[in-house]
């Protein structure tokens, strides 16, 4: 039972991790919270699952979701961030909030507010590993998440885009003097952030077997808690906090009751802010930029 | 033949005129010095050249091409690099990564290519810089954990990895002892021998005399004198404003 819950929690945590990385990509570089990420997560889910319900294979669904929300991420950057980049940080925060409300409204009108249910036979294979039963969908979720995280780490460390992005995050002015095209790299960060969230949206739909236009608020915003607990300046922190909060949530529901579910997650976020403001693995002294 | 030319450059911030109608030419392949008291506008001059600030008036040309309104990364790719008075390194990066940040070629394809596959050129340049500045032993160390003198060399190596035509140096020997400064001086002379043009801000007049063919003196944003170091030493206006009367 405990082991089974652990697997379920890790699956949920994998999704949290991806969305949290989507938030922290933009947060790390620009110091702003792009709230639209939560709804790009939801939109990606709808785009990918709609295609899969149409009979397209998983990879097409994931790819289309990534492409769609990646492009929308750039739109968000051009409209909600670029014109406001010299304004106080609250301005882009509010304009991305505006975008997320619009995205949610559009999704409600296009797909309806009733849950989009996946047919039970979609990815219904189960594998028995000792006492633990793992669903095909859970395996897909975890494998995709691990693959994306590894891919992101490689991109950040070994490509010009990645090193440029890290340089901009540390010192934008110096990075530009070294020839890093800051505007292009910034757009790239928004695109990558949107694409990660979009793929995570497909995964959450597969995990729950359903999707609603409100999943961005329910699940996507929890990724902010993950980012805060892990530390906004640390990708490794997010990789630790994502699974941790996923497991914590599932355990809370299993042993404490569903009513406490969100309380533990957001409670841990508040505790982190109070007791360890730099996050679990954040650099000491580097206060979080929320 | 001048590499960089400024004509009538004025830079104002609110009511303050940081640079006032400044005109000067940098001859290619030479070391030019800029001296002056604190707040004279020396660093502002650097910021105007690199595109960090946009002058209120005037023109700045590199090889005849206007740099005004060009974003800093494009000016950098045209061949201008700089170092800072207070060292500015990236805290989370190793020495090697500092050198790999430098970007010359453009395009999406180049941006997404793995560093190892983006052609041997960037890695080769970085390897050369490691050798030249004696940084090979520190290759995989976090740059900001290294001794001060080494950090200065990392900054210099990073600037040179871009293979600039013009290098702007803001007090490159600040905080160094005599021996270290002499090492930097011979290094800079070697770079100039290889065809690099240098513009140097420095307070150490001995260092300036040893290196610079030409010196410009700024005071309150205005150019008050230009000439060889010996001429500058004798210039009454300069002695008044900056050097003081020698005992």
């Amino acid at each position: 039972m405990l082991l089974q819950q652990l697997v379920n929690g890790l699956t949920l945590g994998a999704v949290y991790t991806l969305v949290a990385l989507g938030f922290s990509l933009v947060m790390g570089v620009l110091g702003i919270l792009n709230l639209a990420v939560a709804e790009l997560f939801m939109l990606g889910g709808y785009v990918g699952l709609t295609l899969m319900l149409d009979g397209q294979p998983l990879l097409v669904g994931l790819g289309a979701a990534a492409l769609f929300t990646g492009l929308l991420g750039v739109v968000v950057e051009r409209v909600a961030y670029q014109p406001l980049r010299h304004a106080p940080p609250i301005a882009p925060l509010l304009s991305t909030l505006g975008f997320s409300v619009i995205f949610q409204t559009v999704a409600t009108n296009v797909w309806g507010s009733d849950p989009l249910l996946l047919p039970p036979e979609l990815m219904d294979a189960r594998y028995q590993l000792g006492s633990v039963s793992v669903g095909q969908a859970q395996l897909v979720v975890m494998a995709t998440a691990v693959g994306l995280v590894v891919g992101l780490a490689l991109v950040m460390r070994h490509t010009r885009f990645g090193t440029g992005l890290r340089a901009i995050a540390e010192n934008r002015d110096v990075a530009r003097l070294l020839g890093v095209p800051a505007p292009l790299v910034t757009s790239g960060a928004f695109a990558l952030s949107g694409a990660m969230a979009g793929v995570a949206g497909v995964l959450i739909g597969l995990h729950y077997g359903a999707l609603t236009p409100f999943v961005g608020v329910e699940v996507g915003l929890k990724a902010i808690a993950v980012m805060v607990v892990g530390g906004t300046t640390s990708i490794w922190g997010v990789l630790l906090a994502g699974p941790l909060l996923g497991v914590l949530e599932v355990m809370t529901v299993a042993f404490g009751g569903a009513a406490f579910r969100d309380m533990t997650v957001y409670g841990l976020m508040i505790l982190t802010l109070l007791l360890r403001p730099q996050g679990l693995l954040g650099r000491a002294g580097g206060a979080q930029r929320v | 033949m001048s590499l960089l030319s400024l004509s009538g450059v004025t830079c104002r911030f609110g009511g303050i005129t940081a640079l006032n109608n400044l005109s000067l030419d940098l001859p290619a392949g030479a070391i030019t010095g800029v001296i002056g008291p604190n707040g004279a506008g020396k660093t502002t001059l650097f910021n105007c050249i690199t595109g960090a600030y946009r002058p209120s008036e005037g023109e700045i040309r590199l090889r005849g091409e206007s740099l005004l309104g060009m974003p800093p990364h494009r000016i950098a790719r045209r061949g201008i690099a700089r170092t800072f008075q207070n060292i500015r390194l990236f805290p989370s990066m190793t020495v090697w990564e500092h050198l790999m940040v430098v970007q010359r070629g453009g395009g999406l394809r180049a941006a997404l290519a793995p560093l190892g596959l983006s052609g041997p050129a960037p890695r080769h340049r970085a390897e050369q810089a490691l050798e030249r500045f004696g940084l090979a032993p520190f290759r995989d160390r976090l740059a900001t954990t290294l001794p001060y003198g080494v950090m200065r060399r990392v900054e210099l190596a990073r600037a040179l990895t871009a293979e600039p035509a013009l290098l702007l140096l803001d007090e490159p020997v600040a905080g160094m002892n005599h021996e270290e400064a002499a090492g930097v001086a011979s290094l800079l002379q070697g770079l100039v021998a290889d065809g690099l043009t240098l513009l140097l801000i420095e307070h150490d007049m001995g260092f300036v005399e040893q290196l610079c063919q030409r010196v410009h003196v700024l005071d309150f944003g205005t150019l008050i004198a230009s000439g060889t170091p010996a001429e500058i030493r004798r210039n009454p206006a300069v002695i008044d404003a900056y050097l003081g009367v020698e005992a």
Side-chain angles (χ1 to χ4, degrees):
Chain A
M1 173 66 176
L2 190 69
L3 217 53
Q4 183 66 54
Q5 295 299 345
L6 195 65
V7 171
N8 296 343
L10 288 175
T11 313
L12 191 59
V15 174
Y16 289 167
T17 304
L18 290 184
V19 187
L21 287 174
F23 276 112
S24 86
L25 266 171
V26 173
M27 178 67 111
V29 178
L30 302 166
I32 65 155
L33 192 56
N34 176 9
L35 286 172
V37 166
E39 301 307 329
L40 290 176
F41 162 75
M42 177 273 297
L43 284 178
Y46 270 106
V47 168
L49 292 178
T50 304
L51 283 170
M52 287 177 67
L53 288 177
D54 243 22
Q56 299 293 334
L58 173 71
L59 277 181
V60 171
L62 292 176
L67 196 67
F68 182 73
T69 53
L71 286 174
L72 267 187
V74 177
V75 171
V76 169
E77 188 239 352
R78 290 293 146 97
V79 178
Y81 168 71
Q82 267 298 333
L84 299 171
R85 65 190 189 282
H86 298 302
I90 189 77
L93 180 78
L94 291 175
S95 64
T96 60
L97 176 65
F99 256 107
S100 53
V101 173
I102 291 170
F103 287 157
Q104 206 186 92
T105 313
V106 168
T108 312
N109 280 302
V110 173
W111 287 286
S113 52
D114 291 335
L116 175 74
L117 294 175
L118 301 188
E121 61 275 13
L122 189 76
M123 298 196 175
D124 63 343
R126 296 202 74 87
Y127 309 95
Q128 201 65 33
L129 298 166
S131 63
V132 182
S133 158
V134 184
Q136 192 185 355
Q138 283 183 312
L139 284 180
V140 165
V141 170
M142 285 196 264
T144 311
V146 169
L148 279 184
V149 167
V150 170
L152 180 71
L154 289 175
V155 164
M156 292 302 277
R157 204 152 277 280
H158 295 292
T159 67
R160 309 237 104 192
F161 168 75
T163 47
L165 193 63
R166 289 169 57 209
I168 291 176
E170 305 232 357
N171 192 327
R172 190 180 180 88
D173 291 336
V174 174
R176 302 190 76 184
L177 288 171
L178 297 172
V180 177
L184 191 69
V185 174
T186 304
S187 296
F190 273 86
L192 199 54
S193 149
M196 299 277 290
V199 169
V202 180
L203 299 182
I204 199 73
L206 292 176
H207 178 53
Y208 284 159
L211 204 63
T212 78
F214 314 110
V215 74
V217 179
E218 288 161 21
V219 176
L221 287 186
K222 244 171 234 167
I224 295 177
V226 168
M227 179 176 69
V228 170
V229 171
T232 46
T233 51
S234 164
I235 283 189
W236 301 113
V238 169
L239 297 189
L240 179 68
L244 181 73
L245 265 66
V247 170
L248 180 70
E249 178 177 333
V250 169
M251 294 294 177
T252 309
V253 175
F255 300 108
F260 298 103
R261 167 183 167 156
D262 292 351
M263 221 159 89
T264 49
V265 172
Y266 289 107
L268 188 62
M269 177 180 86
I270 293 170
L271 272 181
T272 305
L273 285 171
L274 291 175
L275 301 178
R276 196 173 161 80
Q278 75 270 33
L280 288 180
L281 295 184
R283 257 181 266 136
Q288 301 219 46
R289 297 173 293 184
V290 182
Chain B
M1 165 67 194
S2 70
L3 178 68
L4 185 84
S5 74
L6 282 75
S7 56
V9 171
T10 297
C11 192
R12 288 189 205 96
F13 302 104
I16 298 156
T17 304
L19 285 178
N20 186 14
N21 196 22
L22 180 69
S23 299
L24 52 86
D25 283 300
L26 295 191
I31 307 182
T32 305
V34 178
I35 62 170
N38 286 327
K42 304 184 296 290
T43 299
T44 304
L45 170 65
F46 274 21
N47 283 330
C48 284
I49 296 173
T50 57
Y53 299 160
R54 187 178 179 147
S56 324
E57 288 162 39
E59 182 61 272
I60 302 176
R61 288 175 185 279
L62 180 73
R63 297 191 197 89
E65 181 189 22
S66 175
L67 299 182
L68 289 194
M70 218 184 257
H73 66 268
R74 214 160 279 160
I75 293 179
R77 286 166 181 235
R78 290 283 192 286
I80 298 183
R82 75 165 287 185
T83 63
F84 296 88
Q85 183 183 345
N86 48 340
I87 301 172
R88 294 191 194 169
L89 297 174
F90 304 118
S92 77
M93 292 195 194
T94 64
V95 170
W96 178 253
E97 286 173 324
H98 274 83
L99 304 182
M100 296 314 289
V101 166
V102 174
Q103 296 195 10
R104 299 197 73 209
L108 193 62
R109 232 228 233 120
L112 293 178
L115 291 174
L117 298 180
S118 57
R123 298 181 77 86
H124 183 66
R125 283 199 306 266
E127 296 281 2
Q128 272 184 329
L130 279 185
E131 274 316 308
R132 178 161 217 162
F133 293 92
L135 293 170
F138 310 108
R139 188 192 146 113
D140 295 316
R141 298 270 303 275
L142 283 181
T144 48
T145 62
L146 296 168
Y148 180 81
V150 182
M151 286 202 281
R152 280 236 169 256
R153 296 212 300 268
V154 173
E155 209 185 40
L156 204 52
R158 179 178 68 179
L160 285 169
T161 307
E163 294 188 317
L166 171 64
L167 177 60
L168 312 177
L169 297 159
D170 199 343
E171 301 199 28
V173 295
M176 286 191 182
N177 64 33
H178 219 71
E179 219 167 281
E180 290 169 325
V184 172
S186 69
L187 222 150
L188 295 181
Q189 274 161 337
L191 295 172
V192 171
D194 289 351
L196 188 67
T197 303
L198 297 181
L199 181 61
L200 176 79
I201 292 176
E202 191 49 69
H203 278 297
D204 182 343
M205 196 55 200
F207 190 75
V208 171
E209 277 180 47
Q210 184 192 349
L211 280 177
C212 299
Q213 283 84 49
R214 245 186 123 62
V215 179
H216 300 282
V217 188
L218 284 178
D219 190 29
F220 292 111
T222 306
L223 189 66
I224 58 168
S226 301
T228 64
E231 287 165 358
I232 294 299
R233 272 269 194 222
R234 292 193 300 267
N235 187 311
V238 178
I239 293 170
D240 224 37
Y242 180 56
L243 295 177
V245 183
E246 283 186 58

